[in-house]
Structures are given as structure tokens and as C-alpha cells.
């Protein structure tokens, strides 16, 4: 049985990380937990927990990445939502069986041991959806 547990994070693409952080942490009072450089993703990210979920701010660090092109086209905007799932492999299999268009057919592993994959916006009614399975 496929199971989505909660919204892990909502990701926002920003042009200026310091300005965005100033809004989220100084103006709204949401506490920043960490900032991480992800050279392989061509991005710098900041995480701000809100209850059981987090806001992820993403700043592209190169000019020609997919993220940078998205930012150039859409401006600073909501980029994706991430759902924590119980069994990411089972979830991807289930989605394939239902012919849902995926960006990643098998999970990748992130810096905190999380396994993740993206569902294509065409398969999710216009929204980029990330799936996460967190390490125990
Ligand atoms: Zn994400």
C-alpha cells in the first residue's frame, strides 16, 4: 500500500538568499536551521522548519543549470513540494504502473541520507512533486 506520511518541505526558488532569509527569519520569525552548498545540484539551500515541515529556500549558483533557467523564466517562485513517503521504491513502482510521468525512475541519495525522486509536473497536474524517504 502506498503511503504519503506528511509534507516534508516546500521549496522556493530565490534570486537573493540573504534577502529571502531576512524575510523568512527576521520578518516572519521562522528559525533557520542550516544552509548548505550543493555544488552537484548547482545550488545553495537553506532550511527553515515550520512545525512538522520545512521551508527550503533554493538559490541557483550557476547560470546554466535547470534551476537557473527556471528562475530566469518564472522569477522567484514556488518550485516544488516534497512529500515524505514510507517506501519510495514501492511508491515509484506504483506510479510507473499508473503511467505517471517521472523525472527520476529510481531514487537518488541526498547529503543527509534521504532518498529522493521527482515526479514530473506533467504527471502531477502542473506541480513539481518530490518524494522523500528519510533514513531511520
Ligand atoms: Zn526539495
Amino acid at each position: 500500500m502506498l503511503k504519503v506520511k506528511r509534507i516534508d518541505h516546500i521549496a522556493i526558488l530565490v534570486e537573493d538568499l540573504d534577502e529571502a532569509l531576512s524575510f523568512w527569519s527576521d520578518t516572519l520569525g521562522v528559525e533557520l536551521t542550516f544552509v548548505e552548498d550543493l555544488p552537484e545540484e548547482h545550488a545553495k539551500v537553506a532550511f527553515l522548519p515550520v512545525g512538522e515541515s520545512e521551508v527550503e529556500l533554493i538559490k541557483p549558483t550557476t547560470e546554466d543549470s535547470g534551476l537557473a533557467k527556471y528562475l530566469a523564466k518564472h522569477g522567484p517562485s514556488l518550485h516544488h513540494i516534497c512529500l515524505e513517503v514510507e517506501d519510495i521504491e514501492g511508491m515509484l513502482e506504483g506510479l510507473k504502473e499508473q503511467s505517471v510521468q517521472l523525472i527520476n525512475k529510481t531514487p537518488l541519495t541526498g547529503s543527509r541520507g534521504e532518498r529522493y525522486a521527482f515526479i514530473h509536473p506533467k504527471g502531477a497536474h502542473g506541480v513539481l512533486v518530490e518524494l522523500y524517504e528519510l533514513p531511520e
Side-chain angles (χ1 to χ4, degrees):
M1 191 60 211
L2 304 184
K3 188 165 179 216
V4 174
K5 295 164 88 174
R6 65 188 175 96
I7 293 175
D8 183 87
H9 61 268
I10 294 174
I12 299 167
L13 209 48
V14 303
E15 249 158 23
D16 185 319
L17 195 57
D18 290 333
E19 273 180 26
L21 277 174
S22 159
F23 171 73
W24 281 92
S25 59
D26 302 338
T27 309
L28 288 178
V30 179
E31 197 188 332
L32 171 70
T33 48
F34 75 96
V35 178
E36 184 178 28
D37 220 335
L38 299 171
E40 69 283 2
E41 306 273 353
H42 308 279
K44 198 169 172 181
V45 296
F47 284 94
L48 302 102
V50 180
E52 296 236 301
S53 307
E54 291 181 286
V55 170
E56 176 186 21
L57 303 176
I58 309 174
K59 157 89 177 110
T61 48
T62 60
E63 294 291 304
D64 53 355
S65 67
L67 288 169
K69 285 176 190 156
Y70 190 98
L71 182 61
K73 191 171 172 192
H74 301 276
S77 53
L78 204 59
H79 185 256
H80 65 268
I81 68 164
C82 177
L83 305 174
E84 186 194 346
V85 300
E86 208 161 75
D87 166 17
I88 193 165
E89 253 131 23
M91 180 64 78
L92 290 172
E93 280 313 311
L95 292 170
K96 280 179 224 165
E97 278 164 23
Q98 296 171 82
S99 307
V100 174
Q101 195 175 335
L102 302 173
I103 292 176
N104 309 109
K105 291 186 173 60
T106 52
L108 307 167
T109 303
S111 63
R112 289 178 289 174
E114 76 279 13
R115 300 173 73 222
Y116 67 98
F118 284 92
I119 302 173
H120 198 285
K122 283 182 184 156
H125 302 268
V127 178
L128 179 60
V129 177
E130 182 177 26
L131 304 172
Y132 248 33
E133 184 185 317
L134 296 174
E136 287 303 312

